[in-house]
Amino acid sequence: MATIGLDKLYYAKITEDLSGNETYGTPIQLAKAMKADLSVELAEATLYADDGPAEIVKEFKSGTLSLGIDDIGVTAAEDLTGATLDDNNVVVSGSEDGGSPVAVGFRAKKSNGKYRYFWLYRVVFGIPATNLATKGDSITFSTPTIEGTVVRRNKLDGNGKHPWKSEVNEDDASVPVSVITGWYTQVYEPVFTVTP
């Protein structure tokens, strides 16, 4: 079903243990979302046998998330881009700065009024782009765009895989209500029943 909206943009800081496995902090609202573009790059391979393709493999390699937001804010600038605040509370970006990975969550309103929810498990952002224009005959808003690289997380899920995204529809009757109501209280962890 088509989506007609975007809101509730959150991020969660990541801490890693010695093995690199992620633990997610409490989600924090990033900004008011205006636009989210997610493009995915796949690693592809085709095995040819008997004069034709015998096997085709397509796996997630990485993605690019471009967010149009109303304002990045001081705390998010520090958490996402590695910028620092000086003693006068001025955000200072250095050439050596690099963002730490975070999880990013948001929701998109569907045409039936229900929502589709997302978590991207590991995103590393760069410095936000700034677009400014002089005031002319009409008012034009200038807002920042921040772009991040989406990669799989290090921590395995219950299926023994490295997830990069979780997605759920609010109007799916088979989804427990607690999944939707708790979406922004913590980063969603995949649940799989282990069969012996």
Side-chain angles (χ1 to χ4, degrees):
M1 180 173 290
T3 58
I4 57 171
L6 172 69
D7 69 353
K8 293 222 173 218
L9 180 59
Y10 280 72
Y11 73 96
K13 291 170 42 171
I14 294 175
T15 55
E16 297 179 21
D17 64 16
L18 295 176
S19 301
N21 290 330
E22 297 88 351
T23 302
Y24 299 101
T26 302
I28 303 165
Q29 188 156 18
L30 171 55
K32 291 182 179 177
M34 297 169 34
K35 184 178 182 181
D37 293 323
L38 177 62
S39 59
V40 175
E41 187 176 340
L42 299 176
E44 301 181 42
T46 304
L47 173 68
Y48 291 92
D50 288 338
D51 293 334
E55 292 185 41
I56 299 173
V57 175
K58 294 185 181 215
E59 293 181 351
F60 174 78
K61 184 176 176 183
S62 66
T64 301
L65 177 65
S66 181
L67 296 173
I69 54 178
D70 68 333
D71 187 19
I72 191 164
V74 174
T75 302
E78 285 186 297
D79 292 344
L80 272 57
T81 69
T84 55
L85 286 180
D86 74 1
D87 294 343
N88 292 317
N89 239 12
V90 174
V91 177
V92 179
S93 297
S95 62
E96 300 82 6
D97 292 345
S100 297
V102 295
V104 176
F106 51 91
R107 69 181 188 174
K109 190 172 189 178
K110 300 186 331 177
S111 58
N112 67 358
K114 301 295 182 182
Y115 289 90
R116 181 175 300 141
Y117 291 81
F118 299 86
W119 271 112
L120 302 174
Y121 286 112
R122 193 173 178 94
V123 182
V124 179
F125 285 100
I127 303 300
T130 304
N131 302 305
L132 304 172
T134 190
K135 189 168 100 175
D137 290 337
S138 61
I139 297 173
T140 303
F141 289 103
S142 296
T143 57
T145 300
I146 187 165
E147 190 171 284
T149 301
V150 181
V151 293
R152 69 172 179 85
R153 75 178 189 183
N154 299 322
K155 182 178 169 183
L156 294 171
D157 64 17
N159 256 356
K161 295 183 178 180
H162 299 274
W164 66 275
K165 175 178 81 164
S166 288
E167 180 178 340
V168 68
N169 288 303
E170 179 182 22
D171 54 350
D172 184 340
S174 65
V175 175
V177 173
S178 60
V179 170
I180 302 301
T181 58
W183 198 256
Y184 293 108
T185 59
Q186 62 186 14
V187 175
Y188 179 77
E189 281 292 335
V191 177
F192 295 100
T193 302
V194 179
T195 54

